[in-house]
Amino acid sequence: MSSQLPVAGPAEVRAAARRDLRVERRTVVGLVLVNGLASAAGLIGPWLLGRIIDTIQSGSGDVLSTVDRLAFGALVFTVVQTVLAWWALKIGYRFGERTAARVRERFLRRTLALPPRVADHLPAGDLISRGSTDAAVVAFTLRSAVPEVLVALVHALFLIVAVLVLDLRLGLCGLVSLLGVGAAVRWYVRRARPAYLAVAATGADMADVVASTAKGARTVELLGLERRRAEVTEAAVARARSARLSALWLRTVLFPWAEVSLALPVVGVLLIGGALYAKDLVSLGVVVTATVYLRQLVGPLDTLMLWIEQLQGAGASYARVEGLADVPTESEPAAVHYADGDRIRVDNAHYSYTGARDVLQGIDLVVQPGERLAIVGTSGAGKSTLARLLAGLDRPHTGSVTIGGTPVADLPPDQLREHVVLITQDQHVFHDTVRDNLLIANPDATDEELRAALAAVGAMWWEDLPHGLDTEVGDDTELDDAGAQQLSLARVVLADPHTLILDEATALLDPKTARQTEQSLAGVLRGRTVIAIAHRLQTAHDADRIAVMEAGELVELGTHDELVSAGHVYGRLWQTWHGETP
Ligand code: ATP
């Protein structure tokens, strides 16, 4: 199974739920109050029914008009109960909607606040299923289950108290018969939390396995790994299925057990009440009222039973959504002191992805503010890994990468983005207008600035869009890969970080456009530090200095002319690519 994000413990979940309830304290109090009134109004009908029976049985006085009055009263209170119950549900649904929105927003905030080096290593399938499936389950529960459960709980409590007050013997008999329901619920609740956590975890794992197989489909095909991936996927599906079946089995025990137990109080009260009535120890009206109360108890208890299942699943989902707060971030975001200017320093950096082999070994490098540095090297030499360390997406296990004296990976995300931006060929275009896609980088930018940024990266295609900057992209107007790449480069122009790291940032553009884009970017980014992983030696030629990497080590560092005249690795590369020394 792939690694999973943390899950909040029961104490944390309770604390989070208390916090959510505290924010809505007044609504919750109002909800319970209106509910209580609705339930109290609901008790009066059966009580009046008992009075009607006793009046008819005694036959004294003006029976007909008394019965009429009592029946009218029962009708009025039934209407009052219906209106109050509707009002209580309305308050409940509103409370649920607001709280659900708060839970979703909290999840989003926490996700966005994660340092990039942490976010980048999170299992994407698990994160997505928490933000979508789990958050939806929590939202649905808060919207529907919580109000209905509160209504049912208050109603059930009132009915139990009412039957005890009406006749203690019949009330106790009813309560004793209810013990079966209690036992069924206890049995279920104890087993449900682990069962539902397992359902969610195996579901997320299955999503991860399927997503990674689909993402790496070409590699799978090239290496002939189809069989192996199919086996891994089938195993993940089997784990998810077995977890679901276990949770379903719990339901198949709970429901029949509870259904039978729910019928017992009515049967018990009829038997005991009948015996007491036969001995003239209780009136017929009291027996009927107690029976109706206990019969009415089936409604709220049934509701509770139905929702208990939902609440267990939602409890597990809530724990998963809240678990994001426990993602270890290693260190507190650092305060930045620019003791060392904006200089980027790499000191004796070693890095390993797996812990087995260092893919970067003892890198020492100082990048001066405003410098254009090109990093060249053969495939697998460690260029992209070094770019990730420079951008703070990872930290070296030995040595350091600092900016102005502060480890880059310790910078809080918002500060990091102001200082260093890494552009790779993985771009993301949000399903939104071109304007909003650009404003992400700088919310205060004017249209003039947006147009200038697009022009700087050669993205003049926006002028042909049906609604210009207001055209929605990612829908009818799909941007091709080159367009998406230009959009992300335009974002960089707008964000205007002092250091920009380009890793195949123009790889999706055709060579001519790429060259033009690089040149116009260079114009816009004048004065900025630019570190470019150079796949075209022309890019390296245009840089101030060139760092040459080989097998995880930095083997040469100098200007183009210095390295060419030294005639080592870069010199040979240049000759091979260019055919001659310029
Ligand atoms: P290229 O030009 O092909 O992108 P590169 O010089 O950028 O290569 P890196 O991508 O930094 O090289 O890779 C350096 C080494 O680290 C390679 O041996 C590569 O197989 C390994 N590597 C890269 N990414 C990972 C990863 N996510 N997990 C494990 N090993 C990795």
Side-chain angles (χ1 to χ4, degrees):
M1 221 194 263
S2 58
S3 65
Q4 296 268 332
L5 293 164
V7 172
E12 276 174 275
V13 170
R14 275 197 298 276
R18 268 200 302 275
R19 269 199 311 276
D20 282 336
L21 286 179
R22 211 173 302 137
V23 183
E24 293 278 344
R25 204 171 352 184
R26 286 175 58 178
T27 315
V28 173
V29 171
L31 182 61
V32 173
L33 216 71
V34 178
N35 244 323
L37 288 175
S39 303
L43 295 177
I44 296 175
W47 179 71
L48 291 175
L49 179 68
R51 292 275 313 274
I52 291 174
I53 292 172
D54 286 345
T55 310
I56 296 170
Q57 215 182 20
S58 72
S60 56
D62 183 358
V63 174
L64 216 57
S65 74
T66 311
V67 168
D68 277 353
R69 263 189 290 116
L70 291 173
F72 181 70
L75 179 72
V76 169
F77 279 104
T78 307
V79 172
V80 169
Q81 184 207 6
T82 311
V83 172
L84 286 174
W86 167 82
W87 188 18
L89 271 184
K90 186 175 151 184
I91 299 177
Y93 284 140
R94 284 171 171 244
F95 152 80
E97 284 294 346
R98 279 197 301 267
T99 313
R102 220 166 275 133
V103 170
R104 277 184 196 280
E105 281 163 11
R106 199 162 54 218
F107 181 82
L108 195 65
R109 258 201 318 275
R110 281 180 181 155
T111 310
L112 294 177
L114 287 173
R117 85 194 127 76
V118 175
D120 225 40
H121 292 293
L122 296 182
D126 197 15
L127 192 66
I128 291 168
S129 75
R130 288 179 192 222
S132 52
T133 318
D134 288 313
V137 170
V138 172
F140 171 71
T141 310
L142 284 166
R143 209 164 41 223
S144 314
V146 169
E148 289 189 24
V149 163
L150 271 177
V151 170
L153 260 181
V154 175
H155 195 186
L157 266 177
F158 269 69
L159 284 167
I160 289 169
V161 171
V163 84
L164 282 170
V165 169
L166 185 73
D167 189 291
L168 197 59
R169 294 158 302 179
L170 295 181
L172 287 176
C173 160
L175 283 188
V176 169
S177 328
L178 273 180
L179 289 180
V181 182
V185 171
R186 247 176 90 84
W187 178 88
Y188 177 80
V189 165
R190 282 202 175 157
R191 288 158 181 79
R193 183 180 149 90
Y196 278 103
L197 279 176
V199 168
T202 50
D205 181 47
M206 183 172 69
D208 253 337
V209 169
V210 173
S212 62
T213 306
K215 202 171 163 196
R218 285 186 57 188
T219 316
V220 169
E221 209 179 322
L222 278 173
L223 300 179
L225 295 172
E226 293 94 338
R227 222 185 139 85
R228 173 86 196 101
R229 290 311 296 173
E231 279 166 13
V232 170
T233 310
E234 271 165 25
V237 172
R239 281 195 299 270
R241 181 172 173 273
S242 130
R244 271 184 186 279
L245 284 180
S246 304
L248 280 175
W249 176 76
L250 293 179
R251 294 173 64 182
T252 60
V253 175
L254 171 75
F255 286 115
W257 185 354
E259 280 306 319
V260 172
S261 307
L262 278 175
L264 289 181
V266 175
V267 175
V269 166
L270 280 176
L271 283 175
I272 307 277
L276 290 174
Y277 174 66
K279 291 190 175 150
D280 228 2
L281 291 170
V282 68
S283 78
L284 187 59
V286 168
V287 177
V288 171
T289 308
T291 311
V292 173
Y293 279 163
L294 288 172
R295 177 73 211 128
Q296 282 191 347
L297 198 54
V298 174
L301 289 187
D302 241 353
T303 309
L304 286 177
M305 209 71 69
L306 274 176
W307 285 122
I308 259 179
E309 202 254 320
Q310 173 76 22
L311 285 178
Q312 289 305 310
S317 288
Y318 195 40
R320 285 167 50 77
V321 172
E322 285 300 312
L324 205 64
D326 298 333
V327 173
T329 52
E330 292 169 37
S331 54
E332 286 296 305
V336 193
H337 310 288
Y338 291 101
D340 201 12
D342 286 341
R343 196 165 289 122
I344 297 180
R345 266 196 116 87
V346 183
D347 283 308
N348 188 29
H350 290 256
Y351 181 82
S352 166
Y353 283 101
T354 55
R357 175 177 70 98
D358 278 1
V359 296
L360 289 186
Q361 299 165 38
I363 307 282
D364 286 306
L365 178 68
V366 177
V367 187
Q368 301 296 343
E371 182 177 6
R372 270 146 212 278
L373 178 79
I375 304 178
V376 299
T378 48
S379 177
K383 306 180 295 290
S384 298
T385 309
L386 180 58
R388 291 176 60 79
L389 297 196
L390 291 168
L393 292 180
D394 273 311
R395 60 168 80 241
H397 67 77
T398 309
S400 62
V401 179
T402 55
I403 182 161
T406 306
V408 191
D410 283 350
L411 290 178
D414 48 342
Q415 285 197 33
L416 180 63
R417 277 191 290 272
E418 277 173 29
H419 295 289
V420 190
V421 168
L422 168 69
I423 308 254
T424 66
Q425 52 174 302
D426 293 329
Q427 330 293 348
H428 189 77
V429 177
F430 291 91
H431 186 159
D432 213 331
T433 59
V434 174
R435 173 182 286 104
D436 285 336
N437 260 292
L438 291 171
L439 287 178
I440 295 167
N442 177 5
D444 302 324
T446 61
D447 275 9
E448 200 52 50
E449 286 164 328
L450 300 188
R451 282 193 282 267
L454 286 166
V457 298
M460 296 321 291
W461 42 257
W462 74 268
E463 290 178 345
D464 300 327
L465 294 176
H467 307 288
L469 292 176
D470 288 318
T471 310
E472 289 228 351
V473 280
D475 191 11
D476 294 339
T477 320
E478 287 291 348
L479 280 187
D480 56 12
D481 288 344
Q485 195 153 56
Q486 285 172 322
L487 204 59
S488 82
L489 287 169
R491 279 190 201 130
V492 175
V493 174
L494 289 163
D496 198 20
H498 68 59
T499 299
L500 178 65
I501 304 171
L502 303 166
D503 184 1
E504 305 208 43
T506 54
L508 299 173
L509 307 181
D510 65 77
K512 190 163 156 254
T513 319
R515 185 87 208 279
Q516 282 167 358
T517 305
E518 277 169 16
Q519 279 170 352
S520 50
L521 254 184
V524 176
L525 297 170
R526 206 166 293 284
R528 302 283 176 248
T529 313
V530 179
I531 302 171
I533 306 228
H535 292 268
R536 279 180 277 268
L537 283 194
Q538 194 57 49
T539 313
H541 174 260
D542 295 344
D544 298 329
R545 274 193 312 164
I546 300 158
V548 185
M549 294 194 68
E550 236 183 16
E553 290 184 49
L554 205 159
V555 290
E556 283 183 34
L557 185 64
T559 63
H560 172 83
D561 293 340
E562 283 166 7
L563 297 188
V564 168
S565 54
H568 298 310
V569 183
Y570 182 79
R572 284 197 299 272
L573 265 179
W574 179 257
Q575 269 182 353
T576 318
W577 277 63
H578 204 69
E580 57 175 12
T581 312

